[in-house]
Amino acid sequence: MLVKTALKGRSCPNGHDKNKPLPGCGRHELTSEKRKDFLLMSIKTSFTLFLATGLLWNLTGCQNRDMPLLSWTGDSPAAGVQTMSVNGMDTMNTYAGNVCVIPKKKAKVKEGMTSFTSLAQLCVEITEQKSLYANNIYERLYPASLTKLFTAYVVLKKGNLDDIVTISKNAANIRETGAKLCGLEEGDQVSLRDLLKMMLVYSGNDAALAIAEHIEGSEENFAKVMNTMAASIGAVDSHFVNSHGLHQEEHYTTAYDIYLVMNELVKNQDFVDIIHMANCEIVYKDVAGNEKRMSCTNTNQYLTGAKQVPEDITIIGGKTGNTLAAGACLAMYSRDLDGNEYISVIMKAVNNDTVFGQMSQLLLEVKEKESIE
């Protein structure tokens, strides 16, 4: 059935009266399908203009507000624009979140501030969600054991920390050279909470693999969940293929994505309590039910006293990472004397001494909270 419409106020190129609907003229009549397409296109256009207005308001820097953030995916991955189909038409669904959005053009070292030799650096004051230092924060880099932050995020969202986990043959037999291991053996019985401590405090790779297998049945399935949950918080420049961070080519993240997951994790008291431990002792059982013990010392040398804490800064905790390909990486959660809290990230420093030295310098430089805006 033809639906006829006059294109009022417009001239018809076929020479017809612009105010009279004429049969047989494609400029004056639309099929129902064409009209539907025209209406859908109009709706899309209106919605796009609405989003553009939101962008101008929301993405002029870092915002601290309770309403959802609107963004464009090309310049500010944080704003997590997702698409869904409604009657064949793609719409966008923005997630709500209290995060600091840093446009790429502002993700650079401000004049007068130190340029570091590590490849990426970021410091965000999360009390007001204000970026204080940002450089190469969207560069995709190998994360080493910073991966375990995303593993912890999945565990704390999906797992029961009171679960008792049976260590598999696979988890007990990581053979990669240089892999840090807790010495778990097949059949050992360890609580999920204690595995989380082994992973975050001691950085045990066998603990991370055991966690993955317990939560999702296999490391492959767990990695898929990691990627989905990373995207759900806006960490769209990350891709994981394992739960521990031992090197694989298709396993990467960014300094900004590390900030995003830390920003979520520090809301969880279990996580904060664990990363604040300078050391801990784990008691668990072997396959025969005999008691076993493991002493864990935190890889965070600020907490153990091996590195000096910057003046007027309290180190709450964080996560280290180190592989040949990733270099030395460090993510830190800290607080100043005024109670302002910070998440700081350094990736791909040349060695352990350098990454802690640069983290100290970064924290000292941003104490006055000078914004990059």
Side-chain angles (χ1 to χ4, degrees):
M1 176 180 177
L2 293 178
V3 179
K4 301 175 184 178
T5 180
L7 303 183
K8 295 184 178 180
R10 299 181 185 177
S11 298
C12 175
N14 293 337
H16 300 140
D17 188 329
K18 62 185 178 182
N19 293 316
K20 293 181 180 180
L22 294 177
C25 177
R27 297 287 179 169
H28 281 91
E29 57 185 15
L30 299 172
T31 64
S32 59
E33 283 301 312
K34 288 182 179 179
R35 186 173 186 180
K36 179 181 177 182
D37 290 343
F38 176 79
L39 291 173
L40 289 177
M41 184 176 294
S42 299
I43 294 171
K44 282 186 176 182
T45 301
S46 299
F47 191 72
T48 300
L49 290 172
F50 169 76
L51 287 176
T53 302
L55 286 174
L56 292 174
W57 177 255
N58 282 288
L59 289 181
T60 54
C62 299
Q63 306 292 334
N64 180 14
R65 54 187 65 180
D66 296 326
M67 62 189 296
L69 298 173
L70 301 176
S71 178
W72 65 97
T73 56
D75 192 26
S76 180
V81 178
Q82 302 172 340
T83 61
M84 61 182 180
S85 182
V86 180
N87 294 328
M89 182 178 73
D90 289 335
T91 63
M92 285 178 281
N93 178 31
T94 57
Y95 69 84
N98 185 13
V99 298
C100 178
V101 179
I102 309 172
K104 286 185 178 179
K105 65 183 179 180
K106 293 188 177 183
K108 58 186 179 182
V109 180
K110 189 176 181 180
E111 185 177 352
M113 300 190 80
T114 299
S115 292
F116 296 101
T117 58
S118 52
L119 200 53
Q121 313 88 36
L122 174 62
C123 184
V124 176
E125 186 213 287
I126 62 172
T127 307
E128 297 180 4
Q129 290 297 347
K130 179 183 290 187
S131 175
L132 303 176
Y133 192 106
N135 182 46
N136 290 335
I137 62 172
Y138 297 121
E139 183 84 13
R140 290 179 175 179
L141 301 170
Y142 299 125
S145 285
L146 295 191
T147 299
K148 294 175 174 115
L149 294 170
F150 284 91
T151 299
Y153 181 65
V154 175
V155 172
L156 292 169
K157 285 291 187 182
K158 299 195 66 178
N160 180 347
L161 297 185
D162 294 327
D163 282 355
I164 300 300
V165 179
T166 300
I167 305 304
S168 71
K169 181 179 180 179
N170 186 42
N173 285 276
I174 295 177
R175 300 301 184 200
E176 185 166 334
T177 302
K180 191 168 187 181
L181 302 173
C182 301
L184 295 170
E185 298 179 318
E186 183 179 0
D188 284 347
Q189 303 284 309
V190 191
S191 74
L192 187 57
R193 184 183 302 276
D194 285 339
L195 284 174
L196 198 58
K197 293 176 185 177
M198 290 176 172
M199 182 184 75
L200 291 173
V201 176
Y202 186 74
S203 203
N205 294 300
D206 46 355
L209 179 51
I211 285 171
E213 292 179 336
H214 176 72
I215 297 294
E216 290 297 333
S218 71
E219 188 168 48
E220 181 181 4
N221 288 339
F222 187 84
K224 291 177 181 177
V225 174
M226 288 175 74
N227 291 324
T228 299
M229 294 185 70
S232 75
I233 60 171
V236 295
D237 280 319
S238 295
H239 183 260
F240 303 106
V241 295
N242 64 54
S243 59
H244 39 65
L246 291 174
H247 181 68
Q248 290 183 256
E249 289 293 328
E250 294 303 313
H251 186 97
Y252 53 81
T253 189
T254 67
Y256 186 73
D257 285 1
I258 294 296
Y259 150 72
L260 287 174
V261 74
M262 281 284 285
N263 189 54
E264 294 298 319
L265 284 167
V266 299
K267 301 170 187 175
N268 185 294
Q269 193 59 47
D270 285 317
F271 174 79
V272 174
D273 289 344
I274 290 173
I275 64 170
H276 189 60
M277 295 176 174
N279 51 68
C280 62
E281 185 164 308
I282 307 297
V283 180
Y284 59 103
K285 294 181 179 181
D286 66 13
V287 66
N290 300 311
E291 187 177 280
K292 300 175 74 173
R293 291 177 177 271
M294 178 189 175
S295 294
C296 298
T297 299
N298 205 314
T299 58
N300 184 341
Q301 295 185 15
Y302 287 132
L303 295 180
T304 62
K307 300 295 182 186
Q308 185 174 354
V309 177
E311 185 180 1
D312 297 336
I313 295 291
T314 297
I315 299 297
I316 301 170
K319 187 72 195 78
T320 61
N322 202 324
T323 65
L324 186 62
C329 303
L330 186 59
M332 201 60 57
Y333 176 40
S334 61
R335 182 183 297 120
D336 65 19
L337 293 178
D338 295 322
N340 300 304
E341 296 183 345
Y342 304 84
I343 291 173
S344 308
V345 183
I346 290 181
M347 298 186 72
K348 203 171 176 60
V350 294
N351 55 42
N352 203 49
D353 287 340
T354 301
V355 79
F356 276 96
Q358 293 189 10
M359 179 62 74
S360 294
Q361 181 63 31
L362 178 61
L363 291 172
L364 286 171
E365 280 210 27
V366 303
K367 272 201 310 180
E368 300 302 320
K369 299 180 292 184
E370 181 181 4
S371 174
I372 64 171
E373 294 179 327

